[in-house]
Amino acid sequence: MENPRIDLVLPQLRCPVCAAALERTDRSVHCAGGHGFDLARQGYLTLLGGGSRAGSGDTADMVAAREAFLGRGHYAPIAAALAEAVATVPAPDGASPLVVDLAGGTGYYLATVLDALPAAVGLDVELSPYAARRAARAHPRLAAVRADVWQRLPLATGSAGAVLSVFGPRNAPEIVRVLAPAGRLVVVAPAQDHLTEIIGPLGMIGVAPDKADRLARQLADFAVVEERAVRYRAAMTREDVTLEALMGPSAHHVDRDALTAAVAALPDAVDVTVSVTVAVYRPA
Ligand SMILES: C[S@@+](CC[C@H](N)C(=O)[O-])C[C@H]1O[C@@H](n2cnc3c(N)ncnc32)[C@H](O)[C@@H]1O
């Protein structure tokens, strides 16, 4: 098998069972301890070490909705702000900087970041096989690994120049461990008024009132380097807002018939508030 994208990040990857270095032979990857892992035909490497109780991530339908929604460009300003934030991250001497997107979904944001950092390589760590297979073909310098971010990350200590967390779960101690000494964590989190026009009418899960406090508690081992609010209104069609409802956690709660009825009651185009914070952190 010729130069799969996983080779870009193999030196930084570690066995999820014993944390040893990994080598690839054709479609399988193994460590000196005899643990082996398969490279899927779709290009992602599964590095699940057992002991994960996190389920299997987003479903095929959720991931398809996410890919379709992001492809419409409504969140492109968020991706651009993220790329700007990551561009300020120092690169390690002599090495290609590694940008790791935890729970990176389809690779949409990481691909934009890599476009702005021509020397960098990217790794999308995802639990959902449906997301991982899309991420594996999202960008020529992006590799995808299926792993659980709540477990020990299958990455060498100090290997990441930047870690991204966009609307995803965050495991602070592991982020601290994998960051390089000058590395940075960049977090995109929804603000209180994110999607405010459609949350109620579509029965979606809103942003928890204590979201900012929880984030601050979760990242108590980090100091904020810079923080920026990204807020704009996006003109969304009924189809756009349906995809928005089906691509996130609301998909587990929203009844499809009720959603169809609620969307039909909306005007043809809705101006929806997109409101997030993009924050850069360093380990304190
Ligand atoms: C709200 S989506 C965000 C995806 C991506 N960051 C984006 O904004 O497009 C959350 C993602 O986390 C993934 N996920 C959930 N639990 C996970 C876990 N324990 N480890 C890795 N990924 C996980 C889901 O499969 C899903 O793709």
Side-chain angles (χ1 to χ4, degrees):
M1 191 184 190
E2 286 215 1
N3 304 326
R5 289 178 188 169
I6 203 70
D7 285 0
L8 295 167
V9 297
L10 207 54
Q12 288 101 330
L13 292 180
R14 291 293 178 267
C15 174
V17 181
C18 67
L22 295 169
E23 273 182 42
R24 183 178 66 81
T25 311
D26 197 29
R27 289 197 168 276
S28 83
V29 165
H30 53 273
C31 70
H35 306 115
F37 308 92
D38 288 334
L39 192 56
R41 259 185 309 110
Q42 296 95 344
Y44 64 84
L45 177 66
T46 297
L47 289 179
L48 286 164
S52 167
R53 287 192 299 271
S56 49
D58 280 5
T59 63
D61 286 349
M62 289 165 79
V63 173
R66 179 169 297 278
E67 183 173 60
F69 178 83
L70 292 173
R72 294 173 181 215
H74 295 305
Y75 283 3
I78 301 178
L82 182 62
E84 270 176 37
V86 180
T88 63
V89 171
D93 288 344
S96 296
L98 173 66
V99 182
V100 178
D101 192 356
L102 295 179
T106 58
Y108 172 80
Y109 294 100
L110 184 52
T112 304
V113 166
L114 292 174
D115 276 341
L117 293 177
V121 294
L123 175 69
D124 187 317
V125 179
E126 244 301 328
L127 195 53
S128 162
Y130 309 104
R133 70 172 63 155
R134 283 170 170 85
R137 49 171 202 260
H139 191 281
R141 284 179 279 117
L142 193 167
V145 156
R146 243 196 105 204
D148 175 2
V149 300
W150 290 121
Q151 302 288 308
R152 182 184 168 90
L153 293 171
L155 276 164
T157 299
S159 57
V163 169
L164 315 181
S165 171
V166 183
F167 303 126
R170 285 167 289 271
N171 177 347
E174 272 300 278
I175 295 172
V176 171
R177 183 183 69 78
V178 302
L179 274 177
R184 297 287 182 265
L185 165 67
V186 187
V187 175
V188 176
Q192 281 304 314
D193 54 349
H194 185 51
L195 308 179
T196 189
E197 295 83 0
I198 58 172
I199 296 273
L202 300 195
M204 294 167 68
I205 300 170
V207 180
D210 64 343
K211 175 90 188 174
D213 291 345
R214 268 181 13 210
L215 184 63
R217 275 200 304 276
Q218 207 177 40
L219 299 180
D221 291 338
F222 290 84
V224 179
V225 178
E226 61 184 58
E227 187 166 20
R228 171 176 167 195
V230 177
R231 188 176 190 282
Y232 56 94
R233 298 187 92 193
M236 295 195 196
T237 63
R238 290 194 181 112
E239 205 181 328
D240 295 338
V241 297
T242 304
L243 291 171
E244 173 69 77
L246 295 178
M247 75 181 196
S250 302
H252 299 298
H253 305 271
V254 170
D255 172 76
R256 281 302 281 262
D257 291 339
L259 177 64
T260 305
V263 169
L266 292 174
D268 282 349
V270 194
D271 278 339
V272 180
T273 301
V274 177
S275 181
V276 302
T277 57
V278 179
V280 180
Y281 298 83
R282 63 172 169 77

